[in-house]
Amino acid sequence: MLVDSPPEQRAETAPAPPSRRAMRALGLLVSVVILLLVTLASIAIGAKQLPLDQVWHGLFHDTGTYGDVVVGTRLSRTVLGLLAGAALGLSGAVLQALTRNPLADPGLLGINAGASAAVVTAITYFGVSTLSGYVWFAFLGAAVVGALVWFLGGSRGATPVRLALAGTAISAALYGYLQAVMITDDAALNKLRFWTVGSLASADNSTIVQVLPFLAAGTLLALGLARPLNAVAMGDDTARALGANLGRTRALAMLAATVLCGAATAACGPIAFVGLMVPHVVRSFTGPDLRWILPYAAVLSPVLLLGADVVGRVVARPSELQVGIVTAIIGGPVFILLVRRRRTAQL
């Protein structure tokens, strides 16, 4: 027996007209071009001003001073920004579909808190002092908290509300632990304060190599979940009628979000609002179809992250603002605007 769905749900699942699909494809192509331009700007612009010819020479010919600045510093942070931005955008889009909350972000399920707690533990109790050491502790903390949220949320019987409540409770407890440790340990505070701001400045090839396999696996898993998450987003009854396996889909979505956000946070520190803003904005012109939301988020989130990083390098020359500060400055007003628009739409 077929279960008929409401008109608005049938509209969401109906194939888009050819003209709309063409516009979405064109928009994605334009987004890729914008990403390419921002990537070039990230390589060409820095806290240290270099003429474009010297940037070009340092990128392709010089192994001296210019090569050290362009290849050793700017290129590495640009590549990490591309990877981390895509990961944060994808994880945000997946979590918004999983929780059916368009204002959800990776911090909602405690993933950022788990990574931060693991890093402060590594600094305080294990004497870890290098970024390469932080990466593995941060990723482990994110994975443990992701699994704990899944277990407390009901495992295969998890619902969006249970997952959000479990993540919020665990985040509160872990941030209390963070504050307690940092207040009592000045060394931990001094080392952790740079990591918790969120930055691409410490990027190097070893960090990229360490997180790349996790980011690649998480990206493939997230993109592969587009169709089943479309069904889950329409409600449990409709998803079951469409043949979706709710437990498996939610478990894999939770895994994808944890791997993506955990790896990005491990490499850069917790960076707020990227996973919230970009999927939410993308949804306004792609519609609710995750087959389009996820690719758009993977392309436009690095645009935001690298763009914020370039702004941070320019506005405070010869020093720089960390990218986590810039995204917070941008994201705060945008978040308020999104909340107000959502409230107005509900009235």
Side-chain angles (χ1 to χ4, degrees), residues 15 72 83 94 100 106 121 135 141 144 161 173 179 184 195 198 207 229 243 275 307 310 315 329 332 336:
L83 296 174
V94 168
R100 298 181 204 149
T121 300
V135 166
V144 169
V161 174
Q179 296 301 317
T184 58
W195 185 83
T207 301
L229 280 175
V310 171
V315 297
I329 292 172
I336 293 172

Side-chain angles (χ1 to χ4, degrees), residues 261-329:
C261 183
T265 303
C268 309
I271 297 176
F273 291 111
V274 175
L276 165 66
M277 285 190 295
V278 175
H280 192 90
V281 172
V282 163
R283 193 179 295 105
S284 67
F285 58 86
T286 65
D289 191 344
L290 284 159
R291 291 173 297 178
W292 289 100
I293 292 175
L294 292 176
Y296 266 96
V299 173
L300 291 178
S301 295
V303 170
L304 174 60
L305 189 62
L306 287 177
D309 190 43
V310 171
V311 170
R313 297 182 224 172
V314 172
V315 297
R317 282 175 172 168
S319 184
E320 65 178 72
L321 286 178
Q322 305 303 319
V323 67
I325 297 174
V326 180
T327 57
I329 292 172

Side-chain angles (χ1 to χ4, degrees), residues 9 25 47 49 61 69 77 86 106 112 214 244 249 252-253 262 286 311-312:
Q9 291 179 349
Q49 290 181 304
H61 304 291
V69 172
R77 74 189 292 171
N112 287 344
F214 299 102
T249 299
L252 291 176
T286 65
V311 170

Side-chain angles (χ1 to χ4, degrees), residues 198-274:
S199 173
L200 300 176
S202 299
D204 56 36
N205 292 334
S206 64
T207 301
I208 295 171
V209 169
Q210 288 180 72
V211 300
L212 183 59
F214 299 102
L215 294 176
T219 297
L220 292 175
L221 181 57
L223 293 175
L225 288 171
R227 286 181 180 273
L229 280 175
N230 274 341
V232 170
M234 291 188 291
D236 291 1
D237 292 338
T238 303
R240 291 191 185 97
L242 294 173
N245 186 321
L246 292 176
R248 182 177 64 189
T249 299
R250 285 175 176 151
L252 291 176
M254 187 73 185
L255 176 62
T258 300
V259 170
L260 286 169
C261 183
T265 303
C268 309
I271 297 176
F273 291 111
V274 175

Side-chain angles (χ1 to χ4, degrees), residues 25 43 49 76 92-93 96 111 117 120 135 161 170 196 226 318 322 340:
I43 296 173
Q49 290 181 304
S76 295
Q96 288 174 12
I111 297 171
V120 77
V135 166
V161 174
I170 292 174
T196 54
Q322 305 303 319
R340 287 182 61 84

